Amino acid sequence: MAMQGSPTDTALVRDTGLTGAEVAERVARGEVNEVGERTSRSVGEIIRANVFTRFNAILGALFVMVMTTGSWADGLFGVILVVNSAIGIAQEYLAKRKLDRLALLNAPTTRVIRDGETLEVPTREVVLDDLIELRTGDEVPADGVLLRSEGLELNESNLTGESDPVHHPEGDEIRSGTSVVAGTGRYHARAVGADAYVNRIAAEARKFTRTHSEIQASINTLLRYITWVIAAALPLQIWSQWRAVGDQGWQSVVIRSAAGIVGLVPEGLVLLTSVAFLLAAVRLTRDEVLVQQLPAVEGLARVDVVCLDKTGTLTVGEIAFDDAEPVNGNTAHEVRAALGALADDPDPNGTLAAIGAVLPSPAWHRNSTVPFNSQRKWSAACFEEHGWWVMGAPEMLLPTDDPLHAQVSDLAGRGRRVVLLARSAGPVDSCALPDDLTPAALVSLAEQIRPDAQETLTYLADQGVAIKIISGDNPQTVAAVAREVGLDPGEPVDARTLPEDGDELREVLAAGTVFGRVSPEQKRSFVRALQADGHVVAMTGDGVNDALALKDADIGLAMGNGAQATKAVAELVLLDGRFSHMPKVLAEGRRVIGNVERVANLFVAKNAMSLVAIVATALVALPFPFLPRHLTLVSTVTIGIPAFVLALGPNIRRYQPGFLGRILRFAVPAGAIAGLAVIVSYLVTGERYGVAPGQFEARCSVATGSSDLSCIRPGTGATITLLVVFFAILFVLALPLRLWKVVLIGSMAALAVLAFVLPIGRDFFSFSAPAGLVWPSLGIGALGALCIVALRRWTMRTT
């Protein structure tokens, strides 16, 4: 094991530990236990991500061009641009604060000795050469060599996958990522931060691919398509508008050209996608779920196979006393009294603690104790007037031919852990068992099943998610636990008999439910084999040995009491270790997928409408039917505000693959319908012959509201038609209707009407709406709306 340094100077052999000055020197040199893990982006990264985007650049350039014409009202989309960026920055910053605070509150701590005092500091603030004190239950925060050991035993299952504690005397090297199960110890931290063993494993795990998000991948694909469309449409739009309105001056050309290009930019799509992910992450923090990669919220909704580790997921990771079966004529009363006396130990191990939680101490006077040792696997105590009692592993205390082995095997097959209680006239020492050792009882202990495990697994099964229990324990023991949580384990599989990969492994994985004796390397192979079969795989884990498999899985879920390396590479951390949060996470993922799909349809439909209008006006040499301010109105009341609300509303629709295909299948034809309806309205109503902006007051009576169609401000009828069609798109995407959706659509429609009715709205948006224009525009819009409804029904039937 590589070490950063060794304690050679006098300061490092003092019992008082480092001084404050020595700690400060090491902090200045960067010799700290910080590995740079974070749950969110920095403030600078948040600002850059929300401001410096390609579409902000396009809209910003168009805004500057429109401003040079002096038409401030047509530059309203620039204000929307700033508001969108501000909302994105504010939302992500607030989410960052909450996620960072939650991560900080759940950060581990370590006891160090500095200036002769024992302090408890965050584990990340441990420095090289710190004198660290270990007690039962502590995590080992850094690598080093033990200076003192008083019965110190470490659980190294995080590193090796073996559950048996390992005794470490003075002079032993110990590694980060392990935990103390018995005894105490002191050592100097000789490898911290990225150089510590546990963090080197985590660093290797982090080299693998990040969480795949179908939503983000689809949105990125859309953005690439739209970028190329804008690049092709821009020269076409400028050329066609120069032909159509060039005689009105360069200002008209710029304004009309900008209107078409603004319609091609999905200015709020990326924002709303990010906000949906962020708010889902913040919601999950209320249920003690820390989201370390935002796309994981969506990813879990796509999962169709969940690989579960038994310990810590289906069970709480602790054992409970089950029963004591007397043998050889011993009475139940005497056996239970002896067990209670043994459990009345000042430093009980896990087995004694479980027994002591159920059986009271009989207040026997203890004369002598032989503490438990993981190598000999037994402990003993002598009680005045009651003699010596020994408790330990049956295979260590029983002769190989003893018939009690059959009962032990039967109990183990039912998922019980079995220890033997025996008695002796003594004396008993730590080196050898006495010859007169006589079995007194078989003591069975059971792993505590999580009370919510069965309900959670039933829910996942109902949602079509397959369950694979993967454990390093005996296959029969794992199968017994599976039965207790309501699963049919079938024939449990011993993973030692399986090939590492290939078709045979995939076939066994497809057919089996319970797999025991699975090594850390096999866990990784299992994940990859399931993925090779086309599955989206989630895996739970709590040990360092799970880290690489968790990272290879599509979604890694770490338990909050697991190893730091495991939590560092997982996409989701269940801070309280409760697997029952899975349905809530799944529901959040579904909500995000369903709602982002809704709003994406709205934005893409607008883009398709603008493209159709650009091409159509170029073909027939017409002015573009809208001013930028008109599209700002339509975008705000039928897309922007509704999309923001819809993106955050409830949605329980099951996940279906084909996110991008469904969007294109509906939004592109819907946008084409809207674009054609606009052009038809523009031609049928004669609106294209109306008065140009800036000339209305000179030619038409504002006071009387002239009904002469030659006194129409261009864009009024086209906007009416477009509003009707897009409200129809909004309506079908909002189905099934709820009261809040009806209120949302109704209030947006009222805002749109006010823009035509109120004088301030008519003047700002440059509308004039005589009856001879309104009714034909509404009629054409209604026909377009009927086509939208028919299109939606067709797409729903074909998906």
Side-chain angles (χ1 to χ4, degrees):
M1 177 176 64
M3 295 289 182
Q4 284 173 308
S6 57
T8 57
D9 59 53
T10 56
L12 303 184
V13 296
R14 295 192 303 258
D15 287 339
T16 56
L18 300 178
T19 66
E22 290 166 341
V23 171
E25 289 175 5
R26 285 158 175 78
V27 171
R29 294 198 298 261
E31 297 171 340
V32 295
N33 214 29
E34 179 68 64
V35 292
E37 285 297 319
R38 53 183 182 165
T39 58
S40 59
R41 297 189 287 193
S42 68
V43 174
E45 289 171 334
I46 291 172
I47 293 174
R48 286 194 296 273
N50 285 277
V51 174
F52 300 107
T53 68
R54 75 181 81 170
F55 293 120
N56 280 3
I58 293 171
L59 289 175
L62 292 174
F63 175 75
V64 171
M65 291 173 59
V66 171
M67 289 299 95
T68 62
T69 68
S71 180
W72 297 97
D74 287 313
L76 185 60
F77 67 88
V79 177
I80 303 300
L81 170 68
V82 174
V83 171
N84 274 347
S85 295
I87 290 174
I89 292 170
Q91 289 281 8
E92 186 165 354
Y93 175 70
L94 292 174
K96 167 189 168 59
R97 288 183 58 190
K98 291 182 180 180
L99 293 173
D100 287 352
R101 189 181 302 119
L102 185 62
L104 182 61
L105 289 174
N106 288 276
T109 59
T110 298
R111 273 181 293 273
V112 298
I113 298 163
R114 296 176 180 172
D115 291 317
E117 295 184 7
T118 301
L119 307 174
E120 193 165 299
V121 301
T123 299
R124 67 179 182 278
E125 294 181 11
V126 170
V127 301
L128 186 66
D129 301 321
D130 247 330
L131 182 56
I132 297 171
E133 182 174 293
L134 298 175
R135 301 177 189 173
T136 302
D138 287 351
E139 296 286 328
V140 178
D143 303 347
V145 177
L146 281 171
L147 302 175
R148 190 186 73 193
S149 172
E150 297 179 2
L152 184 71
E153 295 188 356
L154 300 181
N155 181 343
E156 299 184 347
S157 61
N158 283 340
L159 305 180
T160 65
E162 297 293 334
S163 59
D164 291 334
V166 178
H167 174 67
H168 284 279
E170 292 178 8
D172 262 19
E173 292 184 357
I174 60 175
R175 289 176 170 178
S176 52
T178 58
S179 59
V180 181
V181 295
T184 62
R186 280 190 181 185
Y187 75 105
H188 282 296
R190 294 175 60 186
V192 297
D195 291 308
Y197 179 77
V198 69
N199 293 325
R200 293 203 304 272
I201 293 180
E204 181 183 351
R206 284 193 292 271
K207 294 177 185 177
F208 294 100
T209 56
R210 306 292 286 177
T211 304
H212 171 73
S213 165
E214 184 183 3
I215 289 179
Q216 289 188 336
S218 299
I219 296 299
N220 289 337
T221 300
L222 273 176
L223 297 182
R224 285 197 301 271
Y225 292 165
I226 293 170
T227 300
W228 286 110
V229 169
I230 291 174
L234 180 59
L236 176 64
Q237 175 75 341
I238 294 174
W239 171 75
S240 68
Q241 296 311 295
W242 185 265
R243 284 198 310 156
V245 296
D247 58 334
Q248 298 177 18
W250 66 271
Q251 294 90 342
S252 294
V253 174
V254 168
I255 291 172
R256 295 284 177 174
S257 298
I261 302 304
V262 166
L264 289 175
V265 178
E267 64 273 8
L269 180 56
V270 176
L271 167 69
L272 287 177
T273 302
S274 299
V275 167
F277 278 136
L278 282 167
L279 293 189
V282 172
R283 284 178 176 176
L284 289 173
T285 62
R286 300 169 190 163
D287 293 309
E288 295 294 309
V289 178
L290 177 61
V291 180
Q292 302 197 116
Q293 293 188 40
L294 293 179
V297 177
E298 167 225 334
L300 195 57
R302 297 187 289 109
V303 164
D304 59 359
V305 175
V306 175
C307 297
L308 303 176
D309 189 14
K310 172 180 66 68
T311 305
T313 303
L314 301 181
T315 65
V316 297
E318 299 176 356
I319 55 175
F321 174 75
D322 180 53
D323 194 14
E325 184 178 340
V327 296
N328 293 332
N330 290 276
T331 66
H333 174 74
E334 189 173 20
V335 165
R336 285 177 171 263
L339 290 173
L342 288 170
D344 187 13
D345 189 297
D347 187 22
N349 59 18
T351 299
L352 290 177
I355 293 172
V358 177
L359 301 181
S361 171
W364 290 359
H365 184 267
R366 185 185 293 251
N367 290 331
S368 182
T369 299
V370 178
F372 179 82
N373 180 283
S374 59
Q375 294 175 331
R376 60 173 177 263
K377 296 185 179 181
W378 56 265
S379 62
C382 180
F383 301 98
E384 190 174 312
E385 299 181 359
H386 299 282
W388 281 90
W389 292 84
V390 181
M391 187 168 67
E395 64 269 23
M396 305 300 293
L397 303 181
L398 289 175
T400 56
D401 59 350
D402 195 297
L404 285 178
H405 281 298
Q407 290 180 249
V408 172
S409 298
D410 179 63
L411 288 169
R414 287 185 273 151
R416 300 296 185 264
R417 183 180 299 181
V418 185
V419 294
L420 179 72
L421 177 67
R423 61 194 309 175
S424 169
V428 178
D429 60 41
S430 59
C431 297
L433 291 167
D435 294 334
D436 65 341
L437 192 66
T438 305
L442 290 177
V443 181
S444 59
L445 301 108
E447 292 196 75
Q448 297 183 54
I449 304 296
R450 289 190 179 276
D452 49 17
Q454 182 167 353
E455 182 181 353
T456 303
L457 293 179
T458 300
Y459 173 84
L460 292 175
D462 290 343
Q463 302 303 312
V465 178
I467 306 297
K468 307 292 180 184
I469 302 180
I470 299 174
S471 175
D473 284 351
N474 184 296
Q476 297 298 332
T477 302
V478 182
V481 172
R483 279 189 288 270
E484 286 196 50
V485 295
L487 291 178
D488 179 7
E491 183 63 31
V493 179
D494 190 326
R496 293 173 298 184
T497 64
L498 296 178
E500 291 187 4
D501 50 31
D503 293 339
E504 183 181 349
L505 175 60
R506 291 199 291 272
E507 289 176 6
V508 174
L509 284 172
T513 301
V514 170
F515 301 85
R517 304 298 187 197
V518 183
S519 68
E521 294 76 17
Q522 282 181 310
K523 291 183 180 181
R524 216 171 152 191
S525 298
F526 281 18
V527 168
R528 290 178 172 177
L530 289 166
Q531 290 171 327
D533 258 357
H535 295 291
V536 180
V537 182
M539 180 171 176
T540 68
D542 56 4
V544 174
N545 59 305
D546 297 325
L548 297 180
L550 258 69
K551 197 57 184 178
D552 275 4
D554 297 279
I555 299 295
L557 295 104
M559 298 298 145
N561 58 351
Q564 287 303 305
T566 307
K567 291 187 282 188
V569 301
E571 287 80 18
L572 298 169
V573 180
L574 306 181
L575 294 171
D576 58 4
R578 292 175 55 193
F579 188 56
S580 59
H581 293 312
M582 284 281 286
K584 294 180 181 177
V585 179
L586 185 63
E588 279 298 320
R590 288 179 172 177
R591 189 182 63 79
V592 169
I593 290 177
N595 290 342
V596 170
E597 183 173 329
R598 277 176 174 167
V599 301
N601 273 297
L602 289 170
F603 284 104
V604 176
K606 184 194 74 167
N607 302 150
M609 179 279 300
S610 295
L611 180 61
V612 169
I614 288 172
V615 173
T617 52
L619 291 175
V620 295
L622 288 175
F624 192 74
F626 306 106
L627 300 176
R629 68 189 81 172
H630 299 153
L631 287 182
T632 298
L633 172 66
V634 175
S635 295
T636 300
V637 299
T638 67
I639 302 173
I641 296 175
F644 192 85
V645 177
L646 289 174
L648 305 180
N651 194 323
I652 60 173
R653 192 187 75 182
R654 284 194 181 190
Y655 165 76
Q656 294 177 305
F659 176 86
L660 181 58
R662 286 194 301 276
I663 291 173
L664 295 178
R665 192 157 46 247
F666 172 76
V668 172
I673 290 170
L676 291 174
V678 164
I679 296 301
V680 170
S681 174
Y682 203 46
L683 294 171
V684 169
T685 62
E687 186 182 14
R688 65 189 185 281
Y689 301 118
V691 180
Q695 300 178 5
F696 187 88
E697 288 76 6
R699 288 181 47 185
C700 301
S701 171
V702 178
T704 60
S706 172
S707 61
D708 183 359
L709 291 185
S710 66
C711 285
I712 298 172
R713 288 179 169 126
T716 302
T719 303
I720 292 172
T721 299
L722 186 60
L723 282 167
V724 173
V725 177
F726 261 83
F727 270 117
I729 295 174
L730 176 61
F731 174 83
V732 298
L733 290 176
L735 294 174
L737 289 181
R738 299 289 184 269
L739 179 60
W740 66 271
K741 294 179 185 178
V742 173
V743 172
L744 171 66
I745 297 173
S747 59
M748 292 300 100
L751 284 177
V753 171
L754 290 177
F756 291 89
V757 173
L758 296 179
I760 188 174
R762 290 198 303 267
D763 292 342
F764 182 84
F765 289 107
S766 190
F767 287 148
S768 61
L773 175 72
V774 171
W775 292 112
S777 300
L778 287 173
I780 295 170
L783 289 175
L786 291 175
C787 292
I788 294 296
V789 173
L791 172 66
R792 186 60 174 173
R793 288 180 176 176
W794 176 78
T795 56
M796 293 298 289
R797 285 198 305 267
T798 57
T799 55

